[in-house]
Amino acid sequence: RPKGKGASKAMPEGQQVPKLLRGFNNWAIKEQPVPMNFSRIVGEEDELWWEVEFDVPKDAACVNFVVNCENGWDNNGSKDHKVAVALPPPYTADTVDEWADSFFEGFLAEETAARLQAEQEAAVRDAKRLKERNAAKEKAKAVLRRQMKHVMFTEPEVIEAGKPVTVFYCPDDTALAGSNQVYFTGGFNRWAHKRKLGPAAMRPPGATGRHWQIRFNVPKDALQLDFVFSNVPGGDGQYDSRNGFDYHLPIVVSYALTVFDWDGLTV
């Protein structure tokens, strides 16, 4: 009840609505301010009264509050208002520790559920990001294959471990333009695989064709095909090594081939 009297049963015109700022357990739990409602108390009709209703948390031992109206504050002389909350049966002031302990299992379950929920949400986000990254990688690989197709392409377009592949090469716009013979030198897994390819002479194009070609089997434990082209089987000559970076193409591992002896032997 603020200081001052009012004869009307209605809220006085121009009266500002105060707000209640409340918390619990010495402000350990804080809630948003709420506007109070104009009220009348039986027997106190000539006084201005304000009220507000709110829920008290089950683990609250006391209510802390202050009242604010524009620039005015009622904070009990800077001590704040504090009201004790009656403990539910069978607890009393002498068994307050047991009452506090009774919340432990519930809090533990809530914390565990919140942690599991956060982990699940994080897993969903990670899976989504991984899917997006993989899709972006596949898109980039497809773009690269299309860009390189006028010089080099493979059949099938996606190389699979343990299966044959044919590499086609057109030297017209490369350092090997006009070569009478083209050689293929290849390897796998950043050239670290024990199996090497060539230098091997590629089959020349037909009468109306432009692409030289070579066909070979891909090892079951290969993850990447590495190769260069040349017009000599070795030594001095012209080489197309993609400006020193070599050609590299990814290899898709079959679902049936997921465990390897990384020395090159399939387990």
Side-chain angles (χ1 to χ4, degrees), residues 102-120:
S102 68
F103 295 104
F104 176 76
E105 292 298 332
F107 288 156
L108 180 61
E110 291 176 2
E111 288 294 325
T112 301
R115 177 176 54 80
L116 292 176
Q117 179 67 22
E119 291 176 352
Q120 291 174 355

Side-chain angles (χ1 to χ4, degrees), residues 225-248:
L225 172 62
D226 316 292
F227 54 97
V228 298
F229 303 99
S230 63
N231 61 3
V232 292
D236 295 335
Q238 293 294 323
Y239 288 80
D240 177 7
S241 60
R242 205 167 67 89
N243 296 320
F245 292 99
D246 300 343
Y247 288 90
H248 304 283

Side-chain angles (χ1 to χ4, degrees), residues 1-2 4 6-11 36-52:
R1 177 177 62 87
S8 175
K9 292 186 179 182
M11 185 175 73
M36 303 184 75
N37 301 310
F38 181 73
S39 180
R40 288 294 184 184
I41 304 298
V42 176
E44 300 286 345
E45 287 82 1
D46 60 342
E47 299 287 347
L48 291 177
W49 288 88
W50 302 86
E51 66 180 14
V52 66

Side-chain angles (χ1 to χ4, degrees), residues 209-230:
R210 301 172 59 194
H211 288 83
W212 298 69
Q213 60 180 280
I214 186 171
R215 184 176 177 84
F216 52 87
N217 288 322
V218 178
K220 295 180 179 180
D221 57 348
L223 302 176
Q224 178 176 277
L225 172 62
D226 316 292
F227 54 97
V228 298
F229 303 99
S230 63

